[in-house]
Each structure stands twice: as C-alpha cells, then as structure tokens.
Amino acid sequence: SQKIEQNSEALNIQEGKTATLTCNYTNYSPAYLQWYRQDPGRGPVFLLLIRENEKEKRKERLKVTFDTTLKQSLFHITASQPADSATYLCALANTNAGKSTFGDGTTLTVKP
Amino acid sequence: EPEVTQTPSHQVTQMGQEVILRCVPISNHLYFYWYRQILGQKVEFLVSFYNNEISEKSEIFDDQFSVERPDGSNFTLKIRSTKLEDSAMYFCASSDPVGGRTSRNTGELFFGEGSRLTVL
C-alpha cells in the first residue's frame, strides 16, 4: 500500500539556521508533490508544489527538491524565524485535481 | 483575499444523530473536497466533487456520508448517523486546476479553517 513518511516528528532549530524537512514515499508514483503549513487548530495552508519532471522549486526563503528515483522530497526553510514554527505537511497527488495523500507532518520549532 | 469558509466551527452531537457541515468554497473554483483529521493524526481524504457529482471517494466515505452542492455557493457534508469514531476536524477545500481565477493551474488546495465534530 502507499506510504508517506516524513522523517522526524519534531525538529528544533535555532533562529537563522536552515531547516530541512524530509518526505519519503513508497508504492507511489506521484505526478505532483505539495508542501503545506498547518498551525494548531487551523487548516493547512499551501506553500509550494513541484511536478515529477521538476527537480527544484523556490519561493522566497523556501526551496523544495523532488527526486523521483529516491522517491524523496526535501523542503528547506532558509534564515528560519520563530514565526516559521508550525507543522509542515507533505502531500502527493496523481493529478492536479484528484485526491492528495498527506504525510503525518513534521513539527518545526525555531528558537530565538 | 478569497477564502474557503466553513460552518459551524464546532459541533457537539450525540451518537446516532445526523450532522451537516457546511462550506462555501472560493467563488469560481471548480473542484471541491472534504478531508478529515482525527486529533493527532494525519489529514485524510474523504471525497472530491466536480461538475455536480462525486469524482473520487475514499474507503472512509461509506454509505453514512453524502455530499451535496445545493446551490451555486454551498458545499455540504452530511453524516447520516454519527459514530464515536467520526469525531474529528473536517476540512473543506477547493481548487482551480484549470487556471481561471488564479491563472496558476497548480491544483493547490485552498482549505477552510475546519469544523470540529465531537460525537458523544
């Protein structure tokens, strides 16, 4: 069955450092991989999407890589700030209109 | 900025009762979804809806669940006879993969803030 693993339930880093979150998947060949941010008690908020034929995507301090051979995506937040503290979710989809399958999430805490 | 709105924010009900959760997706979006998140667990897909019919549903979405788009703006999730294990946060989402309003054609999901359902 399809499985998505986001390494590290929790990640603690110092302000200003780069946070790197990992999303690994098995038994799946997604066409799209998305990253969302979720704050406690709130709905997920879309951050970035990367397609299977793309290696890397950037948006401001965020960078996503997608390696379909390793079946892995890395999500980087550079120059991290305490306001970046949240749970980050990886989600995979076969089409841009079909269901998305979410990982468990990684809770990032950025300490001042 | 356009947003998905959901009501109620919290509903408490007795086991066996019917519940209707309401959502107003972003205007002009084409695809609508319900997801749920049991406390401390992952976000799980329930159902997707396009062109006034279900396009895909998960194993969770059994005969006790139904969705409807009764008019041009609302999208509802009905649970016919609630069970204890239906207690969760229910998220509505919409997307606009053909570009339209956002012209980005990314298929990103726009989530509402959720309706917390507590079944006693």
Side-chain angles (χ1 to χ4, degrees):
Chain A
S1 62
Q2 297 170 353
K3 195 173 180 183
I4 302 171
E5 283 186 350
Q6 291 190 243
N7 292 18
S8 305
E9 282 187 19
L11 181 64
N12 299 313
I13 64 169
Q14 209 64 36
E15 182 175 9
K17 301 292 186 185
T18 296
T20 299
L21 286 66
T22 306
C23 176
N24 295 290
Y25 58 92
T26 56
N27 297 323
Y28 205 144
S29 296
Y32 299 84
L33 191 146
Q34 304 173 50
W35 284 89
Y36 290 82
R37 169 185 173 138
Q38 187 175 31
D39 290 285
R42 310 287 301 270
V45 175
F46 173 80
L47 297 173
L48 277 172
L49 175 147
I50 189 165
R51 294 175 175 80
E52 60 180 338
N53 60 349
E54 297 174 322
K55 297 290 185 188
E56 182 179 299
K57 212 67 164 302
R58 290 175 185 261
K59 179 183 175 183
E60 297 171 355
R61 294 185 295 113
L62 309 180
K63 184 178 88 170
V64 173
T65 63
F66 193 9
D67 188 326
T68 55
T69 302
L70 291 179
K71 294 186 182 293
Q72 180 182 80
S73 174
L74 299 179
F75 177 76
H76 306 273
I77 305 174
T78 58
S80 59
Q81 305 163 1
D84 294 327
S85 299
T87 296
Y88 291 85
L89 311 175
C90 136
L92 279 59
N94 285 326
T95 70
N96 67 351
K99 76 172 187 181
S100 290
T101 302
F102 283 80
D104 289 320
T106 297
T107 299
L108 173 67
T109 302
V110 181
K111 299 182 179 177
Chain B
E1 187 171 322
E3 59 180 19
V4 175
T5 58
Q6 291 187 242
T7 55
S9 56
H10 189 191
Q11 181 154 357
V12 181
T13 190
Q14 293 291 323
M15 191 169 55
Q17 295 296 305
E18 176 183 284
V19 159
I20 297 176
L21 305 178
R22 292 183 168 78
C23 169
V24 179
I26 294 174
S27 174
N28 295 329
H29 273 193
L30 302 175
Y31 290 81
F32 313 111
Y33 310 81
W34 283 100
Y35 286 79
R36 81 170 186 191
Q37 187 173 32
I38 295 171
L39 188 64
Q41 297 187 25
K42 66 176 68 176
V43 175
E44 299 176 289
F45 170 80
L46 292 178
V47 66
S48 59
F49 192 86
Y50 170 72
N51 200 25
N52 286 318
E53 61 182 23
I54 291 174
S55 49
E56 192 172 0
K57 60 183 181 180
S58 71
E59 291 176 354
I60 303 168
F61 195 88
D62 61 21
D63 292 344
Q64 293 301 311
F65 290 87
S66 62
V67 288
E68 196 177 37
R69 186 155 163 84
D71 52 42
S73 59
N74 291 285
F75 179 50
T76 62
L77 174 69
K78 182 194 290 188
I79 308 175
R80 209 159 281 123
S81 176
T82 50
K83 303 187 282 271
L84 295 175
E85 53 265 39
D86 292 328
S87 295
M89 183 76 97
Y90 287 82
F91 292 109
C92 173
S94 66
S95 71
D96 180 24
V98 295
R101 185 184 175 92
T102 64
S103 298
R104 284 186 289 178
N105 196 23
T106 63
E108 67 186 83
L109 295 172
F110 291 80
F111 282 88
E113 293 291 23
S115 293
R116 179 169 297 285
L117 176 64
T118 302
V119 182
L120 302 176

